[in-house]
Amino acid sequence: MANRTDPAAKSIRGTNPQNLVEKIVRSKIYQNTYWKEQCFGLTAETLVDKAMELDHIGGTYGGTRRPTPFICLILKMLQIQPEKDIVVEFIKNDDYKYVRVLGAFYLRLTGTDIDVYRYLEPLYNDYRKLRMKSADGKFILTHVDEVIDELLTKDYACDIALPRVKKRWTLESHGILEPRKSVLEDDFEEEEEKEENEQMDAVENGVNDEKDYHHGRSPTRERDRDRRRDSHRYRDRDYDRDYDRDRGRGRDRDRDRDRDRDRDRDRDRYRLRDEKDYSRDRDRDREREGRDRERRDRDRGGGRRRSPSRSRSRSRDRKRRRSPSPRRDGGEEAKKKEKKKSEKKEKKDDGTDHPDPEIAEANRIRASLGLKPLK
Amino acid sequence: MLEVVLNDRLGKKVRVKCNEDDTIGDLKKLVAAQTGTKAEKIRIQKWYTIYKDHITLADYEIHDGMGLELYYN
Protein backbone atom coordinates (compact mmCIF):
# COMPACT_ATOMS: atom_id res chain seq x y z
CA MET A 1 0.00 0.00 0.00
CA ALA A 2 2.58 2.50 1.03
CA ASN A 3 4.64 1.80 -2.05
CA ARG A 4 1.94 2.15 -4.59
CA THR A 5 2.03 5.24 -6.76
CA ASP A 6 -0.86 7.64 -6.44
CA PRO A 7 -3.43 6.32 -8.96
CA ALA A 8 -4.22 9.86 -10.04
CA ALA A 9 -0.59 10.50 -10.92
CA LYS A 10 0.39 10.90 -14.54
CA SER A 11 2.83 8.52 -16.11
CA ILE A 12 6.23 10.05 -16.72
CA ARG A 13 8.17 9.17 -19.86
CA GLY A 14 5.69 6.46 -20.56
CA THR A 15 5.98 4.57 -17.32
CA ASN A 16 5.08 4.57 -13.66
CA PRO A 17 6.99 7.55 -12.23
CA GLN A 18 8.59 5.40 -9.60
CA ASN A 19 10.28 3.39 -12.31
CA LEU A 20 12.64 6.28 -12.91
CA VAL A 21 14.54 4.86 -9.98
CA GLU A 22 16.03 1.48 -10.78
CA LYS A 23 14.57 -1.69 -9.31
CA ILE A 24 17.45 -2.51 -7.02
CA VAL A 25 17.77 0.99 -5.60
CA ARG A 26 13.99 1.17 -5.26
CA SER A 27 13.87 -2.07 -3.27
CA LYS A 28 16.62 -0.78 -1.03
CA ILE A 29 14.61 2.36 -0.36
CA TYR A 30 11.43 0.43 0.40
CA GLN A 31 13.27 -1.63 3.00
CA ASN A 32 14.88 1.40 4.61
CA THR A 33 13.66 2.51 8.07
CA TYR A 34 13.63 6.20 7.11
CA TRP A 35 11.18 5.39 4.38
CA LYS A 36 9.00 3.21 6.55
CA GLU A 37 8.85 5.54 9.50
CA GLN A 38 9.09 9.06 8.16
CA CYS A 39 7.83 8.81 4.65
CA PHE A 40 4.57 7.08 5.42
CA GLY A 41 1.53 9.07 4.40
CA LEU A 42 3.46 12.17 3.39
CA THR A 43 1.67 14.88 1.48
CA ALA A 44 3.11 17.83 -0.36
CA GLU A 45 2.96 20.05 2.73
CA THR A 46 4.46 17.61 5.19
CA LEU A 47 7.05 16.77 2.57
CA VAL A 48 8.33 20.34 2.81
CA ASP A 49 8.94 19.89 6.52
CA LYS A 50 10.88 16.72 5.95
CA ALA A 51 12.86 18.39 3.20
CA MET A 52 13.86 21.23 5.49
CA GLU A 53 15.39 18.70 7.86
CA LEU A 54 17.77 17.38 5.19
CA ASP A 55 21.42 18.04 5.82
CA HIS A 56 23.17 16.15 3.07
CA ILE A 57 22.61 14.86 -0.44
CA GLY A 58 23.73 11.58 -1.94
CA GLY A 59 22.69 8.29 -3.43
CA THR A 60 23.40 4.95 -1.84
CA TYR A 61 26.41 4.31 0.32
CA GLY A 62 28.27 1.56 2.07
CA GLY A 63 28.82 -2.08 1.26
CA THR A 64 25.10 -2.88 1.42
CA ARG A 65 24.12 0.28 -0.50
CA ARG A 66 21.97 1.99 2.09
CA PRO A 67 19.93 4.86 0.69
CA THR A 68 20.22 8.42 1.99
CA PRO A 69 17.16 10.37 3.19
CA PHE A 70 17.63 12.61 0.15
CA ILE A 71 17.00 9.81 -2.25
CA CYS A 72 14.09 8.52 -0.16
CA LEU A 73 12.43 11.91 -0.45
CA ILE A 74 13.01 11.91 -4.19
CA LEU A 75 11.18 8.63 -4.48
CA LYS A 76 8.41 9.98 -2.29
CA MET A 77 8.04 12.99 -4.56
CA LEU A 78 7.86 10.68 -7.54
CA GLN A 79 5.20 8.73 -5.75
CA ILE A 80 2.92 11.63 -4.81
CA GLN A 81 3.76 13.85 -7.81
CA PRO A 82 3.45 17.37 -6.45
CA GLU A 83 2.28 20.14 -8.75
CA LYS A 84 4.76 22.03 -10.87
CA ASP A 85 4.20 25.24 -8.91
CA ILE A 86 5.21 23.51 -5.72
CA VAL A 87 8.40 22.22 -7.31
CA VAL A 88 9.20 25.67 -8.68
CA GLU A 89 8.63 27.05 -5.20
CA PHE A 90 11.14 24.56 -3.87
CA ILE A 91 13.66 25.77 -6.40
CA LYS A 92 13.01 29.45 -5.95
CA ASN A 93 13.23 29.40 -2.17
CA ASP A 94 16.49 30.85 -1.04
CA ASP A 95 16.71 29.88 2.61
CA TYR A 96 17.01 26.13 2.49
CA LYS A 97 19.61 24.99 0.00
CA TYR A 98 18.82 21.30 0.35
CA VAL A 99 15.18 21.95 -0.44
CA ARG A 100 16.39 23.79 -3.51
CA VAL A 101 18.54 20.91 -4.65
CA LEU A 102 15.71 18.47 -3.96
CA GLY A 103 13.36 20.49 -6.15
CA ALA A 104 16.00 20.85 -8.85
CA PHE A 105 16.65 17.11 -8.90
CA TYR A 106 12.96 16.29 -9.12
CA LEU A 107 12.48 18.78 -11.94
CA ARG A 108 15.42 17.30 -13.78
CA LEU A 109 13.80 13.90 -13.58
CA THR A 110 10.27 14.86 -14.50
CA GLY A 111 10.31 18.22 -16.28
CA THR A 112 10.41 19.01 -19.98
CA ASP A 113 13.68 20.12 -21.57
CA ILE A 114 12.72 23.77 -21.64
CA ASP A 115 11.70 23.74 -18.01
CA VAL A 116 14.89 22.03 -17.03
CA TYR A 117 17.06 24.68 -18.64
CA ARG A 118 14.88 27.56 -17.61
CA TYR A 119 14.67 26.72 -13.94
CA LEU A 120 18.01 25.10 -13.33
CA GLU A 121 20.29 27.58 -15.01
CA PRO A 122 19.63 30.43 -12.56
CA LEU A 123 20.87 28.08 -9.89
CA TYR A 124 24.32 28.28 -11.43
CA ASN A 125 24.69 31.53 -9.53
CA ASP A 126 24.21 29.85 -6.19
CA TYR A 127 27.59 28.83 -4.86
CA ARG A 128 26.76 27.71 -1.37
CA LYS A 129 28.43 24.65 0.06
CA LEU A 130 26.71 21.31 0.24
CA ARG A 131 27.50 18.13 2.07
CA MET A 132 27.42 15.06 -0.13
CA LYS A 133 27.61 11.47 1.03
CA SER A 134 29.85 9.52 -1.29
CA ALA A 135 29.50 5.86 -2.17
CA ASP A 136 31.88 4.72 0.55
CA GLY A 137 30.01 6.52 3.30
CA LYS A 138 32.28 9.53 3.73
CA PHE A 139 31.12 13.10 3.36
CA ILE A 140 32.44 15.22 0.52
CA LEU A 141 32.25 18.99 0.13
CA THR A 142 30.55 20.22 -2.98
CA HIS A 143 28.62 23.31 -4.09
CA VAL A 144 25.15 23.99 -5.41
CA ASP A 145 26.37 25.10 -8.81
CA GLU A 146 28.56 22.01 -9.13
CA VAL A 147 25.57 19.82 -8.47
CA ILE A 148 23.48 21.71 -11.01
CA ASP A 149 26.25 21.35 -13.54
CA GLU A 150 26.30 17.61 -12.97
CA LEU A 151 22.56 17.46 -13.42
CA LEU A 152 22.71 19.33 -16.69
CA THR A 153 25.72 17.65 -18.24
CA LYS A 154 26.05 14.13 -16.88
CA ASP A 155 23.51 11.36 -17.20
CA TYR A 156 23.87 9.67 -13.83
CA ALA A 157 23.64 11.32 -10.43
CA CYS A 158 22.91 10.09 -6.92
CA ASP A 159 22.45 6.53 -8.15
CA ILE A 160 19.62 7.52 -10.45
CA ALA A 161 19.94 7.53 -14.21
CA LEU A 162 18.87 10.95 -15.42
CA PRO A 163 16.57 11.04 -18.42
CA ARG A 164 17.98 12.52 -21.61
CA VAL A 165 17.36 16.19 -22.29
CA LYS A 166 18.03 17.86 -25.60
CA LYS A 167 21.25 19.77 -25.94
CA ARG A 168 20.98 23.44 -25.29
CA TRP A 169 22.04 24.58 -28.70
CA THR A 170 19.29 22.50 -30.31
CA LEU A 171 16.70 24.44 -28.41
CA GLU A 172 18.50 27.68 -29.21
CA SER A 173 18.58 26.98 -32.90
CA HIS A 174 14.84 26.40 -32.78
CA GLY A 175 14.45 29.73 -31.07
CA ILE A 176 12.80 28.23 -28.02
CA LEU A 177 15.59 29.30 -25.72
CA GLU A 178 17.85 32.30 -25.75
CA PRO A 179 21.60 31.93 -25.68
CA ARG A 180 22.86 31.68 -22.17
CA LYS A 181 23.97 34.84 -20.46
CA SER A 182 26.35 34.16 -17.65
CA VAL A 183 26.52 36.46 -14.67
CA LEU A 184 30.29 36.45 -15.04
CA GLU A 185 30.06 37.77 -18.57
CA ASP A 186 30.44 41.37 -17.48
CA ASP A 187 33.64 40.54 -15.63
CA PHE A 188 35.01 38.77 -18.67
CA GLU A 189 34.12 41.65 -20.92
CA GLU A 190 35.96 44.10 -18.73
CA GLU A 191 39.07 41.99 -18.68
CA GLU A 192 39.01 41.44 -22.41
CA GLU A 193 38.54 45.12 -23.10
CA LYS A 194 41.47 46.00 -20.95
CA GLU A 195 43.70 43.49 -22.71
CA GLU A 196 42.62 44.56 -26.14
CA ASN A 197 43.10 48.23 -25.40
CA GLU A 198 46.63 47.64 -24.22
CA GLN A 199 47.41 45.57 -27.24
CA MET A 200 45.94 48.10 -29.64
CA ASP A 201 47.95 50.87 -28.04
CA ALA A 202 51.14 48.93 -28.40
CA VAL A 203 50.56 48.23 -32.06
CA GLU A 204 49.62 51.75 -32.95
CA ASN A 205 52.37 53.53 -31.09
CA GLY A 206 55.09 51.70 -32.95
CA VAL A 207 58.21 49.75 -32.18
CA ASN A 208 59.81 52.08 -29.67
CA ASP A 209 56.86 52.23 -27.44
CA GLU A 210 56.63 48.51 -27.62
CA LYS A 211 60.02 48.19 -26.09
CA ASP A 212 58.96 50.41 -23.21
CA TYR A 213 55.76 48.47 -22.92
CA HIS A 214 57.71 45.28 -22.57
CA HIS A 215 60.09 46.76 -20.09
CA GLY A 216 57.21 47.79 -17.91
CA ARG A 217 56.20 44.17 -17.35
CA SER A 218 57.83 41.52 -15.26
CA PRO A 219 60.61 39.60 -17.02
CA THR A 220 58.83 36.24 -17.00
CA ARG A 221 55.81 37.67 -18.72
CA GLU A 222 58.01 39.30 -21.27
CA ARG A 223 59.77 36.04 -21.98
CA ASP A 224 56.47 34.23 -22.28
CA ARG A 225 55.15 36.79 -24.65
CA ASP A 226 58.29 36.69 -26.76
CA ARG A 227 58.21 32.95 -26.91
CA ARG A 228 54.57 32.95 -27.84
CA ARG A 229 55.10 35.60 -30.45
CA ASP A 230 57.95 33.75 -32.06
CA SER A 231 56.37 30.36 -31.82
CA HIS A 232 53.48 31.42 -33.90
CA ARG A 233 55.37 33.67 -36.21
CA TYR A 234 56.37 30.70 -38.28
CA ARG A 235 52.71 29.85 -38.44
CA ASP A 236 52.20 33.18 -40.15
CA ARG A 237 53.88 31.76 -43.17
CA ASP A 238 50.94 29.45 -43.69
CA TYR A 239 48.16 31.78 -42.72
CA ASP A 240 49.26 34.96 -44.42
CA ARG A 241 46.00 35.72 -46.08
CA ASP A 242 43.88 35.08 -43.05
CA TYR A 243 46.14 37.12 -40.91
CA ASP A 244 46.10 40.19 -43.12
CA ARG A 245 42.37 40.19 -43.38
CA ASP A 246 42.16 39.69 -39.66
CA ARG A 247 44.43 42.63 -38.87
CA GLY A 248 42.28 44.96 -40.88
CA ARG A 249 39.18 43.69 -39.19
CA GLY A 250 40.65 43.99 -35.76
CA ARG A 251 41.61 47.58 -36.08
CA ASP A 252 38.71 48.97 -37.99
CA ARG A 253 35.75 49.35 -35.75
CA ASP A 254 35.15 48.85 -32.08
CA ARG A 255 31.69 47.58 -32.76
CA ASP A 256 32.94 44.79 -34.96
CA ARG A 257 35.45 43.79 -32.40
CA ASP A 258 32.86 43.56 -29.69
CA ARG A 259 30.53 41.58 -31.86
CA ASP A 260 33.23 39.15 -32.88
CA ARG A 261 34.31 38.73 -29.33
CA ASP A 262 30.83 37.97 -28.13
CA ARG A 263 30.21 35.56 -30.93
CA ASP A 264 33.48 33.78 -30.36
CA ARG A 265 32.95 33.55 -26.67
CA ASP A 266 29.48 32.16 -27.03
CA ARG A 267 30.63 29.63 -29.52
CA ASP A 268 33.63 28.70 -27.43
CA ARG A 269 31.40 28.08 -24.50
CA TYR A 270 29.40 25.49 -26.35
CA ARG A 271 32.26 23.98 -28.20
CA LEU A 272 33.16 21.66 -25.35
CA ARG A 273 29.66 20.37 -24.81
CA ASP A 274 28.18 20.24 -28.24
CA GLU A 275 30.95 19.58 -30.66
CA LYS A 276 29.55 16.57 -32.34
CA ASP A 277 26.25 18.29 -33.00
CA TYR A 278 27.68 21.14 -35.00
CA SER A 279 27.89 20.67 -38.74
CA ARG A 280 31.35 20.53 -40.15
CA ASP A 281 31.16 23.96 -41.81
CA ARG A 282 30.37 25.69 -38.61
CA ASP A 283 33.21 23.88 -36.94
CA ARG A 284 35.64 25.10 -39.53
CA ASP A 285 34.36 28.65 -39.30
CA ARG A 286 34.44 28.68 -35.59
CA GLU A 287 37.91 27.22 -35.45
CA ARG A 288 39.17 29.78 -37.85
CA GLU A 289 37.59 32.56 -35.89
CA GLY A 290 38.89 31.18 -32.64
CA ARG A 291 42.36 30.99 -34.15
CA ASP A 292 42.05 34.50 -35.52
CA ARG A 293 41.06 35.78 -32.16
CA GLU A 294 44.01 34.06 -30.56
CA ARG A 295 46.32 35.53 -33.09
CA ARG A 296 44.83 38.94 -32.64
CA ASP A 297 45.27 38.73 -28.91
CA ARG A 298 48.77 37.35 -28.95
CA ASP A 299 50.33 39.09 -31.84
CA ARG A 300 51.74 42.16 -30.31
CA GLY A 301 53.14 44.10 -33.22
CA GLY A 302 55.03 41.07 -34.39
CA GLY A 303 53.23 41.29 -37.69
CA ARG A 304 54.51 44.76 -38.32
CA ARG A 305 58.06 43.61 -38.36
CA ARG A 306 57.14 40.48 -40.18
CA SER A 307 58.41 41.24 -43.67
CA PRO A 308 61.83 42.70 -43.07
CA SER A 309 62.85 40.27 -40.37
CA ARG A 310 61.26 37.25 -41.96
CA SER A 311 64.42 35.48 -43.00
CA ARG A 312 65.94 36.14 -39.62
CA SER A 313 62.88 34.89 -37.80
CA ARG A 314 62.83 31.74 -39.84
CA SER A 315 66.33 30.77 -38.93
CA ARG A 316 65.68 31.73 -35.35
CA ASP A 317 62.60 29.58 -35.32
CA ARG A 318 64.41 26.63 -36.70
CA LYS A 319 66.90 26.91 -33.89
CA ARG A 320 64.19 27.32 -31.33
CA ARG A 321 62.26 24.31 -32.49
CA ARG A 322 65.07 22.00 -31.59
CA SER A 323 65.10 20.59 -28.07
CA PRO A 324 66.90 22.81 -25.60
CA SER A 325 69.42 20.38 -24.06
CA PRO A 326 71.66 18.93 -26.79
CA ARG A 327 72.11 22.19 -28.61
CA ARG A 328 75.85 22.05 -28.35
CA ASP A 329 76.25 18.69 -30.05
CA GLY A 330 75.28 20.06 -33.36
CA GLY A 331 71.69 19.32 -34.06
CA GLU A 332 71.00 16.28 -36.18
CA GLU A 333 72.42 13.51 -34.05
CA ALA A 334 70.86 14.81 -30.89
CA LYS A 335 67.49 15.07 -32.58
CA LYS A 336 67.63 11.47 -33.73
CA LYS A 337 68.62 10.23 -30.30
CA GLU A 338 65.76 12.01 -28.63
CA LYS A 339 63.25 10.61 -31.08
CA LYS A 340 64.43 7.08 -30.41
CA LYS A 341 64.24 7.56 -26.66
CA SER A 342 60.71 8.90 -26.79
CA GLU A 343 59.61 6.05 -29.05
CA LYS A 344 61.03 3.45 -26.72
CA LYS A 345 59.36 5.07 -23.77
CA GLU A 346 56.02 5.01 -25.52
CA LYS A 347 56.27 1.30 -26.13
CA LYS A 348 56.87 0.55 -22.48
CA ASP A 349 54.41 3.04 -21.05
CA ASP A 350 51.17 2.16 -22.74
CA GLY A 351 51.63 -1.44 -23.59
CA THR A 352 49.15 -0.99 -26.35
CA ASP A 353 51.56 -2.18 -28.99
CA HIS A 354 52.06 -5.56 -27.45
CA PRO A 355 52.55 -8.33 -30.03
CA ASP A 356 49.67 -10.38 -28.65
CA PRO A 357 46.48 -8.67 -29.88
CA GLU A 358 44.39 -9.74 -26.88
CA ILE A 359 46.83 -8.22 -24.45
CA ALA A 360 47.12 -5.12 -26.57
CA GLU A 361 43.36 -4.76 -26.52
CA ALA A 362 43.25 -5.28 -22.76
CA ASN A 363 45.95 -2.69 -22.30
CA ARG A 364 44.07 -0.22 -24.41
CA ILE A 365 41.02 -0.60 -22.19
CA ARG A 366 43.16 -0.24 -19.11
CA ALA A 367 44.76 2.89 -20.44
CA SER A 368 41.36 4.40 -21.10
CA LEU A 369 40.34 3.64 -17.52
CA GLY A 370 43.57 5.06 -16.16
CA LEU A 371 45.16 1.80 -15.05
CA LYS A 372 48.69 0.63 -15.66
CA PRO A 373 49.23 -2.02 -18.36
CA LEU A 374 49.31 -5.74 -17.66
CA LYS A 375 52.49 -7.29 -16.43
CA MET B 1 49.07 -11.04 -14.86
CA LEU B 2 46.14 -13.26 -14.14
CA GLU B 3 42.74 -13.97 -15.54
CA VAL B 4 39.64 -14.02 -13.36
CA VAL B 5 36.25 -15.40 -14.28
CA LEU B 6 33.14 -13.61 -13.05
CA ASN B 7 29.78 -15.28 -13.29
CA ASP B 8 26.41 -13.89 -12.33
CA ARG B 9 24.49 -17.12 -12.89
CA LEU B 10 21.97 -15.33 -15.06
CA GLY B 11 23.88 -15.51 -18.30
CA LYS B 12 26.76 -13.11 -17.82
CA LYS B 13 30.08 -14.86 -17.65
CA VAL B 14 33.08 -12.71 -18.28
CA ARG B 15 36.83 -13.34 -18.21
CA VAL B 16 38.96 -10.40 -17.21
CA LYS B 17 42.73 -10.04 -17.42
CA CYS B 18 44.27 -8.08 -14.60
CA ASN B 19 47.36 -7.64 -12.44
CA GLU B 20 47.83 -9.02 -8.95
CA ASP B 21 48.27 -5.55 -7.53
CA ASP B 22 45.04 -4.21 -9.02
CA THR B 23 42.40 -3.34 -6.49
CA ILE B 24 38.87 -4.67 -6.52
CA GLY B 25 37.72 -1.23 -7.61
CA ASP B 26 39.93 -1.50 -10.72
CA LEU B 27 38.59 -4.96 -11.38
CA LYS B 28 35.06 -3.60 -11.20
CA LYS B 29 35.96 -0.94 -13.75
CA LEU B 30 37.33 -3.60 -16.10
CA VAL B 31 34.23 -5.72 -15.68
CA ALA B 32 32.07 -2.67 -16.31
CA ALA B 33 33.99 -1.98 -19.51
CA GLN B 34 33.30 -5.50 -20.69
CA THR B 35 29.72 -5.99 -19.61
CA GLY B 36 28.32 -2.50 -19.99
CA THR B 37 26.92 -2.04 -16.49
CA LYS B 38 28.20 0.82 -14.38
CA ALA B 39 31.15 0.08 -12.13
CA GLU B 40 29.33 1.37 -9.03
CA LYS B 41 26.51 -1.09 -9.61
CA ILE B 42 28.70 -4.16 -9.51
CA ARG B 43 29.26 -6.22 -6.41
CA ILE B 44 31.86 -8.98 -6.35
CA GLN B 45 31.36 -11.73 -3.81
CA LYS B 46 32.67 -15.10 -2.85
CA TRP B 47 29.90 -16.96 -1.00
CA TYR B 48 28.91 -14.34 1.60
CA THR B 49 32.11 -12.32 1.59
CA ILE B 50 31.58 -9.05 -0.23
CA TYR B 51 34.91 -7.89 -1.61
CA LYS B 52 35.83 -4.34 -0.70
CA ASP B 53 36.96 -1.81 -3.29
CA HIS B 54 40.25 -0.69 -1.85
CA ILE B 55 41.91 -4.06 -1.27
CA THR B 56 44.14 -5.64 -3.90
CA LEU B 57 43.58 -9.00 -5.52
CA ALA B 58 46.81 -10.30 -4.07
CA ASP B 59 45.62 -9.52 -0.56
CA TYR B 60 42.37 -11.38 -1.18
CA GLU B 61 44.48 -14.28 -2.52
CA ILE B 62 42.73 -14.33 -5.84
CA HIS B 63 44.75 -16.47 -8.23
CA ASP B 64 44.73 -17.12 -11.92
CA GLY B 65 41.59 -18.79 -13.19
CA MET B 66 39.60 -18.30 -10.01
CA GLY B 67 35.85 -17.81 -10.25
CA LEU B 68 34.08 -14.97 -8.50
CA GLU B 69 30.39 -14.22 -8.16
CA LEU B 70 28.96 -11.20 -9.82
CA TYR B 71 26.06 -9.43 -8.19
CA TYR B 72 24.48 -6.07 -8.63
CA ASN B 73 23.84 -3.33 -6.16
Side-chain angles (χ1 to χ4, degrees):
Chain A
M1 279 305 126
N3 298 338
R4 205 70 60 79
T5 317
D6 181 12
K10 294 182 293 165
S11 78
I12 294 196
R13 306 196 190 255
T15 174
N16 184 347
Q18 287 197 72
N19 289 349
L20 281 173
V21 180
E22 285 169 16
K23 180 80 168 83
I24 297 179
V25 179
R26 219 181 329 139
S27 326
K28 291 271 160 66
I29 296 181
Y30 289 157
Q31 294 158 8
N32 185 285
T33 40
Y34 183 80
W35 173 268
K36 289 183 183 168
E37 291 172 359
Q38 317 283 354
C39 299
F40 183 77
L42 272 190
T43 61
E45 297 87 35
T46 41
L47 183 84
V48 181
D49 302 329
K50 284 274 177 278
M52 292 198 302
E53 290 168 18
L54 277 177
D55 68 342
H56 63 273
I57 64 174
T60 56
Y61 64 93
T64 47
R65 315 305 309 170
R66 295 192 58 205
T68 56
F70 181 80
I71 212 178
C72 294
L73 285 179
I74 289 284
L75 189 62
K76 197 68 195 177
M77 286 179 84
L78 285 171
Q79 192 181 20
I80 61 178
Q81 268 207 4
E83 302 281 322
K84 188 168 155 210
D85 332 338
I86 303 184
V87 181
V88 173
E89 269 312 305
F90 274 26
I91 297 180
K92 284 199 179 147
N93 112 91
D94 211 21
D95 309 321
Y96 298 95
K97 47 192 179 181
Y98 290 103
V99 177
R100 204 174 222 188
V101 177
L102 187 76
F105 201 95
Y106 180 78
L107 189 67
R108 173 68 174 87
L109 291 178
T110 58
T112 59
D113 303 345
I114 312 168
D115 284 341
V116 165
Y117 283 114
R118 195 187 302 155
Y119 290 113
L120 261 54
E121 283 198 340
L123 294 185
Y124 267 129
N125 303 333
D126 186 350
Y127 37 81
R128 288 179 286 189
K129 296 188 197 165
L130 287 178
R131 204 180 295 137
M132 181 161 93
K133 197 147 198 167
S134 69
D136 51 8
K138 300 204 184 80
F139 284 109
I140 294 180
L141 175 69
T142 178
H143 300 82
V144 176
D145 50 356
E146 282 181 34
V147 173
I148 300 292
D149 191 44
E150 272 189 30
L151 288 183
L152 287 178
T153 50
K154 302 220 179 77
D155 55 21
Y156 193 74
C158 287
D159 278 337
I160 298 181
L162 304 173
R164 301 268 166 88
V165 288
K166 295 196 190 67
K167 299 268 182 196
R168 200 173 200 293
W169 84 272
T170 318
L171 297 173
E172 275 174 36
S173 65
H174 283 265
I176 305 175
L177 273 185
E178 276 137 30
R180 179 158 162 253
K181 273 202 96 67
S182 154
V183 175
L184 299 174
E185 204 169 281
D186 299 326
D187 297 341
F188 275 143
E189 274 202 29
E190 275 181 34
E191 256 191 56
E192 288 245 3
E193 276 212 29
K194 247 192 268 169
E195 260 194 55
E196 290 238 11
N197 285 337
E198 290 168 351
Q199 168 200 327
M200 280 304 132
D201 287 340
V203 166
E204 279 162 5
N205 294 341
V207 182
N208 291 334
D209 279 13
E210 196 181 57
K211 251 198 228 154
D212 290 342
Y213 170 65
H214 276 196
H215 273 290
R217 305 281 167 164
S218 64
T220 46
R221 269 194 85 177
E222 176 183 316
R223 241 188 291 129
D224 276 350
R225 215 178 292 124
D226 282 346
R227 211 182 302 134
R228 262 190 285 153
R229 189 164 25 109
D230 286 338
S231 76
H232 98 87
R233 199 186 290 167
Y234 83 91
R235 260 206 294 159
D236 273 344
R237 248 184 285 137
D238 301 333
Y239 301 131
D240 272 352
R241 268 179 292 119
D242 283 357
Y243 175 76
D244 277 339
R245 177 192 67 159
D246 183 47
R247 247 178 73 203
R249 190 160 36 130
R251 270 204 259 146
D252 270 347
R253 267 168 275 155
D254 282 355
R255 238 190 311 127
D256 273 351
R257 218 189 319 140
D258 286 352
R259 230 192 305 137
D260 284 350
R261 220 192 308 133
D262 284 348
R263 227 189 315 146
D264 287 347
R265 205 183 316 121
D266 281 347
R267 290 231 186 101
D268 281 348
R269 206 184 297 135
Y270 301 142
R271 201 192 307 183
L272 296 162
R273 267 199 223 165
D274 310 325
E275 238 174 26
K276 60 180 163 95
D277 296 330
Y278 274 96
S279 68
R280 222 175 288 140
D281 282 347
R282 281 172 89 169
D283 259 352
R284 228 186 297 133
D285 269 352
R286 208 179 335 115
E287 265 188 37
R288 209 177 339 128
E289 290 213 319
R291 235 189 290 131
D292 289 351
R293 216 178 107 233
E294 256 183 41
R295 221 174 302 125
R296 229 188 297 146
D297 284 346
R298 291 183 179 176
D299 204 78
R300 227 140 281 152
R304 265 252 185 127
R305 295 191 271 149
R306 197 172 20 107
S307 3
S309 63
R310 216 168 174 201
S311 50
R312 230 191 309 137
S313 79
R314 223 179 276 169
S315 63
R316 220 191 316 158
D317 286 339
R318 214 175 286 139
K319 239 196 183 173
R320 211 174 284 250
R321 275 166 73 185
R322 251 189 255 138
S323 44
S325 39
R327 203 184 279 179
R328 223 174 267 183
D329 283 355
E332 290 306 321
E333 259 188 62
K335 240 167 82 173
K336 271 199 206 149
K337 262 195 215 159
E338 280 243 290
K339 260 180 93 181
K340 266 198 187 155
K341 234 190 277 172
S342 63
E343 268 183 28
K344 246 192 181 171
K345 250 187 144 190
E346 267 206 33
K347 268 196 182 157
K348 277 191 197 154
D349 258 0
D350 247 11
T352 47
D353 20 359
H354 201 275
D356 186 357
E358 268 190 41
I359 299 189
E361 171 75 31
N363 278 336
R364 210 176 315 131
I365 297 179
R366 289 178 73 99
S368 72
L369 291 173
L371 301 171
K372 292 205 205 104
L374 293 171
K375 296 188 191 141
Chain B
M1 203 247 294
L2 48 88
E3 191 172 38
V4 184
V5 185
L6 287 103
N7 191 354
D8 80 339
R9 301 208 174 252
L10 291 171
K12 249 185 224 157
K13 189 164 179 179
V14 76
R15 304 168 73 89
V16 178
K17 282 189 173 55
C18 47
N19 290 331
E20 293 89 4
D21 58 355
D22 278 344
T23 61
I24 296 284
D26 300 339
L27 181 62
K28 285 186 183 177
K29 285 190 203 162
L30 291 166
V31 172
Q34 259 182 279
T35 58
T37 42
K38 291 211 160 52
E40 303 95 41
K41 297 250 164 232
I42 290 176
R43 196 167 80 212
I44 300 180
Q45 279 182 226
K46 187 112 186 121
W47 200 229
Y48 284 121
T49 317
I50 302 178
Y51 283 176
K52 294 200 169 42
D53 281 359
H54 55 277
I55 301 184
T56 62
L57 298 182
D59 289 338
Y60 269 130
E61 301 203 356
I62 296 176
H63 303 299
D64 188 22
M66 207 154 135
L68 298 174
E69 290 154 38
L70 188 61
Y71 288 91
Y72 300 100
N73 270 324

